[in-house]
Amino acid sequence: MSPEPWWSSAVFYQVYPRSFADSNGDGVGDLDGVTARLDHLQYLGVDAIWLNPVTVSPMADHGYDVADPRDIDPVFGGMAAIERLIAAAHRRGIKITMDVVPNHTSSQHPWFQAALAAGPGTDARARYFFRDGRGAAGELPPNNWTSVFGGPAWTRVVEPDGKPGQWYLHLFDAEQPDLNWEHPDVFDDFEKTLRFWLERGVDGFRIDVAHGMAKPADLPDAPEGEIKVLHHSDNDPRFNHPSVHEIHRGIRAVVDGYPGAVTVGEVWVTDNARWAEYLRPDELHLGFNFRLAQIDFDAGEIHDAIVNSLAATAIENATPTWTLSNHDVGREVTRYGDGPTGLRRARAMAMVMLALPGAVFIYNGEELGLPDVLDLPDEVLQDPTWERSGHTERGRDKCRVPIPWSGDAPPFGFSSSADTWLPMPADWAALTVDKQRADPDSTLSFFRRALQLRRERTEFEGGELEWLAAPRDAVIFERNGGSLVCALNAGVRPLVLPPGEPILVSAPLVDGMLPPDAAAWLV
Ligand code: TEU
């Protein structure tokens, strides 16, 4: 039997590079900042880093608008900086995975610029979705699709003759035109990108909008009412078109040439059977499952999310993945009620996540118990959602505020400049890495201990999970025939624990019972 691949139970740590650590004092995090802070990740005990996009970009969507997929943006330090990071991380036994963005490019990408210049009906335009408009003079968009960030998914261009002309499709910002994967150049170029990074030692990729890329040939209107800003439904013609799977098979064939390399796809598909199609043996290795990131701190919802996620991966005998938050969905401390209660619940949920079989993803700052920053002033908001929704959705900046490292006042060692790209709240003084490292009861010390147990104890190995009888407001499961029990109390009264020795609790037991908003691991 071949040994399990490294990623099958890995802890991935998501670095949002703008917000992790700034090495050159411009107020924006960068790759040398990550390299300088690898100590923190080694101390925490993670297996791999997932870097959000760092390739050349005008930053309309902070790197998800890629103008050159095979070079590093100067703001992040250029090619030499990623080479330093890959080497330094590997020396510490930490793998590096990168975000790749196949669904769209930047509007500044040479292909899109060429398409604009070449005019209607040309091969250059066929790499994207250019269409004539509806209405007598083509003044209406070709269909009713909206952008995920709000507003129409189509923008009209001025043709080389100076007249208003065709429209182009962008499921996200207008600076992110969708690529037409029917055009052979698109796969060829993506293959080049994959090989370029794999040959430089990257250990895998997070594939952005992995359920996008393929579009229905006739671009039909979407059913009314199905499409909301920053949401997904399965009944949405913009995503999850069956021909996307051929693209994934092509990607897998390339990645299989680099043993150990992993792909994890961002698959916003709810139906288990449709979702599992992405995990077939010749498609993605891993698929994000966002169920735990979308629910409240409610025992029934938590139980159902886990049952459902395991059922979905079981369809293809794939590895489950777990994530409580990321750079798109708000931080769990805030989702669970904010303040001390939100933090207690977040710690408890971290123990549930870390007791589950499979790979987990921790979003930078999660290990510090950071909340969302809900009071960012309007004028600092940068997420395109804010403008595109007509100032009705504040967007995702709230969970992208830079990490506090040290000191008693902003920028808390994140940067030498006080002018950080998003302002940092003064009350994060208590949450810095330095303060938390010195405090054995801190959230950071707690995460470190949890990761260490998960890594070192054999009770966490294997894929089995059984549910134990529990009151309605609690969740109790065991791994490997009872060698590990995880109990979560989401109720208001203390919970009597099953027999066993507690090896970790998210909050002190009270008379041997698990208090509300807490979890315990027992062996
Ligand atoms: O996100 C894709 C996506 O569909 C999300 O915007 C999603 O709708 C939303 O977060 C649900 O809460 C990816 C990236 O993760 C995101 O940061 C990018 O903005 C987007 O692709 C475009 O590249």
Side-chain angles (χ1 to χ4, degrees), residues 61 103-104 146-150 152-153 170-176 178 208-209 211 232 239 266 388 396:
D61 187 21
N103 181 70
H104 43 265
T146 53
S147 151
V148 172
F149 298 157
H170 52 85
L171 297 189
F172 297 91
D173 195 58
E175 309 305 319
Q176 295 167 293
D178 279 56
D208 190 53
V209 202
H211 62 315
H232 291 274
F239 296 105
E266 186 199 23
R388 293 198 59 88
R396 302 161 293 176

Side-chain angles (χ1 to χ4, degrees), residues 22-28 30 414-419:
D22 171 20
S23 73
N24 67 350
D26 63 358
V28 177
D30 48 47
F414 163 72
S415 172
S416 58
S417 162
D419 192 15

